[in-house]
Amino acid sequence: MHAKTDSEATSLDASWPGRSPRRPLYYVQSPSNHDAEKMSYGSSPTVSPPHPYYHCSPIHHSRESSTSRFSASLKNPRSLNAWKHIRVDDQNEDDDEDDAVGGSRGSASAFRLYLCWFLIFVALFTTFCLILWGASKSYKPDIIVKSMVFENFNIQAGNDNSGVPTDMLSLNSTVKIHYRNPATFFAVHVTSTPLELYYYQLKLASGQMKKFSQSRKSKRTVVTVVQGHQVPLYGGLPVLANAKDRIHKISMPLNLTFVLRSRAYILGRLVKSKFYKHVRCSVTLTGNHLGRPHNLTRACVYG
C-alpha cells in the first residue's frame, strides 16, 4: 500500500460524515460448570472477552445463549436431580392410581364374596325351614269326640222377640273332646269355631270351646258346654208336637258340627304350620236318656 499524505488524510476526514461510535462486539463461549450453575439459578450470562475469531450478531448471540443454557441445564447435577424428582413424582402418581384401581377391585371382589356367602346362608336357612315345615306335617293332632251328655231338655209356649206366639225350646248339654299332640319338637295353639247343634237346618244350640296350648307329646280332654235358651220353633219340629207332656218319649236326630284349628310355631313365627279338622257327629236326643253320656267315638266324621 502507498503511504497517504497528510493532505489526503485531512481531506478524507473532512469529507466523511460524522459517525457514531462503534457498537461493542459480543463474543460467547461455552460456559464452564461454575458458570452453568450460576445460569441455572437465574444469573445473567457472563460476557466473554473479545476474540478475533468469534464475532456474532445479536440474533446469533441469543441462539447461542439458549443452546448454552440447555446444555448447562443438562450438565448441571442439580438440574438432573430436579428432572429425576419430577419423574419420580409422576411414577408415584401412577402407582397411586394403580393402588386406587387395585383397591376398588379388591373391595368389589370382597363385596361379591360377602354376597355369595349371604346367598348361600339364605339358601341353606330356607332349605332348613322347608325341611322343618315338611316334617311338621307328619305330626297331625289326634282329635276324638268322646261323648255328649244332654243335661236337660224343655219345651214351653212363649213369644219370640217380635211377639209372635210359638213353642220355645231350651236345652243344655256338654261335649267331651279328646286332644293329643304327637309332635316331638313343637307345641300347638288350639282354637275352634262354635260347636253348633242342628236339627236339619234349624240350629237348636251352640257353644264356644276355650282356646288352649298343647305342649309336645301330650294330651288332654276338653269339655265344652253347648246350650240353647228359648229357641223359637215356629212349628218346624213336628216330632215335638204335643211333646210337652211326654218328654221321655222324644227321639230327635241331631248333628253336631265344628272346626278345630291347631297352629304350630316351629321356628318362632318364621316357620308356622296349621292343621284344620272339620268334625261332624250324629247324635240322637232321647227323652229317657237325659243325663247319660252318648258315646260318639264312632259317630263322628273328621275331614
Side-chain angles (χ1 to χ4, degrees):
M1 296 177 63
H2 297 284
K4 294 180 181 181
T5 61
D6 294 338
S7 61
E8 289 175 352
T10 304
S11 62
L12 288 172
D13 292 337
S15 63
W16 191 263
R19 292 181 299 175
S20 60
R22 287 186 178 182
R23 295 180 181 178
L25 300 178
Y26 296 94
Y27 299 88
V28 180
Q29 69 177 8
S30 300
S32 61
N33 293 335
H34 180 68
D35 295 335
E37 181 176 357
K38 289 182 179 181
M39 290 172 62
S40 63
Y41 283 92
S43 61
S44 61
T46 306
V47 179
S48 301
H51 197 279
Y53 300 103
Y54 296 93
H55 176 262
C56 298
S57 65
I59 299 175
H60 183 68
H61 166 69
S62 62
R63 291 178 180 175
E64 291 293 333
S65 61
S66 61
T67 306
S68 62
R69 287 178 183 177
F70 181 73
S71 62
S73 63
L74 294 178
K75 293 180 180 179
N76 188 5
R78 296 186 180 181
S79 300
L80 292 177
N81 292 333
W83 279 103
K84 292 180 179 179
H85 181 68
I86 292 173
R87 291 184 62 83
V88 169
D89 290 341
D90 294 339
Q91 186 175 3
N92 291 335
E93 290 179 358
D94 295 337
D95 294 339
D96 292 339
E97 292 178 358
D98 294 339
D99 293 340
V101 173
S104 62
R105 290 178 180 175
S107 61
S109 300
F111 174 76
R112 288 195 293 269
L113 181 61
Y114 293 148
L115 181 61
C116 290
W117 280 111
F118 176 75
L119 293 177
I120 291 172
F121 171 78
V122 171
L124 292 176
F125 183 76
T126 303
T127 304
F128 176 71
C129 292
L130 289 175
I131 292 173
L132 289 178
W133 181 82
S136 67
K137 290 301 181 180
S138 61
Y139 294 99
K140 295 182 179 180
D142 295 330
I143 301 171
I144 299 175
V145 180
K146 299 291 291 184
S147 62
M148 183 173 185
V149 179
F150 293 96
E151 304 292 343
N152 57 61
F153 178 76
N154 185 26
I155 297 176
Q156 61 183 11
N159 298 321
D160 62 4
N161 294 331
S162 61
V164 176
T166 182
D167 291 334
M168 311 294 287
L169 181 146
S170 298
L171 67 84
N172 188 13
S173 64
T174 57
V175 179
K176 187 178 291 186
I177 302 171
H178 177 78
Y179 187 94
R180 186 176 75 91
N181 178 22
T184 58
F185 59 93
F186 60 86
V188 291
H189 304 273
V190 184
T191 58
S192 173
T193 61
L195 281 70
E196 298 177 337
L197 193 62
Y198 284 88
Y199 176 76
Y200 293 102
Q201 301 298 323
L202 180 62
K203 185 172 71 172
L204 301 180
S206 65
Q208 182 64 54
M209 186 184 72
K210 294 182 179 179
K211 60 183 179 179
F212 61 92
S213 297
Q214 194 67 34
S215 59
R216 59 188 181 90
K217 300 185 69 174
S218 62
K219 59 184 180 180
R220 71 167 62 192
T221 299
V222 182
V223 178
T224 304
V225 176
V226 179
Q227 60 182 357
H229 179 67
Q230 297 294 314
V231 178
L233 300 179
Y234 301 111
L237 275 73
V239 295
L240 297 180
N242 301 321
K244 299 177 183 178
D245 299 330
R246 46 189 181 92
I247 295 296
H248 61 282
K249 293 183 179 182
I250 292 176
S251 178
M252 184 169 55
L254 301 174
N255 291 319
L256 177 68
T257 60
F258 63 96
V259 178
L260 203 62
R261 296 174 293 194
S262 303
R263 297 182 181 181
Y265 296 99
I266 302 169
L267 194 62
R269 297 201 176 255
L270 294 177
V271 181
K272 298 183 293 185
S273 189
K274 298 179 181 180
F275 305 95
Y276 293 91
K277 187 76 72 173
H278 296 263
V279 182
R280 179 174 179 174
C281 301
S282 298
V283 59
T284 302
L285 171 62
T286 55
N288 58 359
H289 205 69
L290 294 178
R292 298 178 185 178
H294 292 263
N295 189 1
L296 301 180
T297 305
R298 296 181 180 181
C300 298
V301 178
Y302 304 93

